[in-house]
Amino acid sequence: MADSKDSRDKQADDEEERQRKREVSEALERDDEDEPALDEETDEAEADSDGDERDEEGATEE
């Protein structure tokens, strides 16, 4: 195929399609795996950071 904008676009589209197929294939292979366990420390840290940002007096920071 000659080097033109259309051929470069087609090559890029083909590569994106191959990448999507690889990702789907890998996801299907991992489908039966268990989710990794989360650390309790990580869960607590995330729970603490989910609330509004407040200073010691309870006022929101702007």
Side-chain angles (χ1 to χ4, degrees):
M1 190 179 277
D3 187 23
S4 66
K5 182 172 181 351
D6 288 338
S7 67
R8 290 189 301 270
D9 288 344
K10 182 178 181 337
Q11 287 177 339
D13 291 343
D14 291 347
E15 178 58 31
E16 289 173 3
E17 181 65 21
R18 285 190 296 272
Q19 181 63 34
R20 280 191 292 273
K21 287 180 180 181
R22 278 192 297 269
E23 290 171 357
V24 168
S25 176
E26 290 171 3
L28 290 173
E29 288 176 10
R30 293 189 313 266
D31 186 42
D32 60 345
E33 294 179 6
D34 293 334
E35 290 290 323
L38 295 176
D39 294 336
E40 288 182 23
E41 293 176 13
T42 303
D43 291 341
E44 291 172 5
E46 289 175 358
D48 290 342
S49 67
D50 286 344
D52 292 332
E53 296 293 323
R54 297 182 184 272
D55 62 16
E56 292 177 2
E57 296 174 6
T60 57
E61 295 178 347
E62 294 181 14

